[in-house]
Amino acid sequence: TYAIGYGPSERVDHNVTRNALIPHVDDAEVTLNVCLSSGFEGGGLAFHGLRGSSTTSSSGKATTLAYELPKENEFLYDHKLGRAVLHLGNHFHEVLPVTAGERHVLIMWCRSWKAYRAAHCPCCAKFRRDFCVCSKEWN
């Protein structure tokens, strides 16, 4: 669990360390994302689809990933103070640039050693590998 801030410029004294966040999946089975602020502009949470899906985006947008993002289940979530979104950890998402104010969120990664993690290497999942390269105990 951690709190992080986004804003047009870095303000370490306010825990604002970035403007946006590139598309990624979380190192968790489920993520809870709670909005702790108001009065900001931009900073939408864009969802792109599930990791490992077979469909790809047709947007033609440039991406920092080595592959296209999945397009199913795409939507934009706009944070509101005191509201939360709960999503699968393997749902690709990104934070769009904050253009004014400060966007603060509380992030809670929920993990289960008895479910997914009992059969999947967390290191390889984090780095989006299709198979484990770490240890035989995970295969």
Side-chain angles (χ1 to χ4, degrees):
T1 301
Y2 61 95
I4 186 137
Y6 298 82
S9 59
E10 184 177 293
R11 291 191 63 192
V12 178
D13 60 324
H14 286 212
N15 196 32
V16 174
T17 58
R18 56 182 68 171
N19 173 260
L21 187 58
I22 64 171
H24 65 284
V25 294
D26 295 335
D27 186 18
E29 283 73 52
V30 178
T31 299
L32 180 68
N33 186 325
V34 183
C35 184
L36 302 176
S37 61
S38 62
F40 59 89
E41 295 177 17
L45 189 58
F47 288 90
H48 299 289
L50 300 178
R51 177 179 180 260
S53 65
S54 60
T55 59
T56 58
S57 176
S58 59
S59 67
K61 289 175 41 179
T63 179
T64 56
L65 299 174
Y67 49 86
E68 288 291 315
L69 292 168
K71 67 179 182 179
E72 80 282 1
N73 302 315
E74 285 188 316
F75 66 94
L76 179 64
Y77 178 81
D78 288 318
H79 266 306
K80 304 288 183 216
L81 176 63
R83 294 195 181 174
V85 60
L86 183 70
H87 66 85
L88 292 173
N90 68 338
H91 203 150
F92 276 103
H93 56 287
E94 66 181 300
V95 177
L96 301 178
V98 173
T99 57
E102 294 179 359
R103 174 191 183 271
H104 293 270
V105 293
L106 175 71
I107 304 296
M108 180 183 289
W109 286 353
C110 305
R111 300 170 173 162
S112 170
W113 283 102
K114 292 184 178 181
Y116 179 83
R117 288 180 182 266
H120 296 84
C121 171
C123 176
C124 291
K126 178 180 178 182
F127 293 104
R128 304 183 188 125
R129 297 181 183 120
D130 292 327
F131 59 92
C132 181
V133 299
C134 297
S135 170
K136 290 182 181 181
E137 72 181 57
W138 293 104
N139 293 311

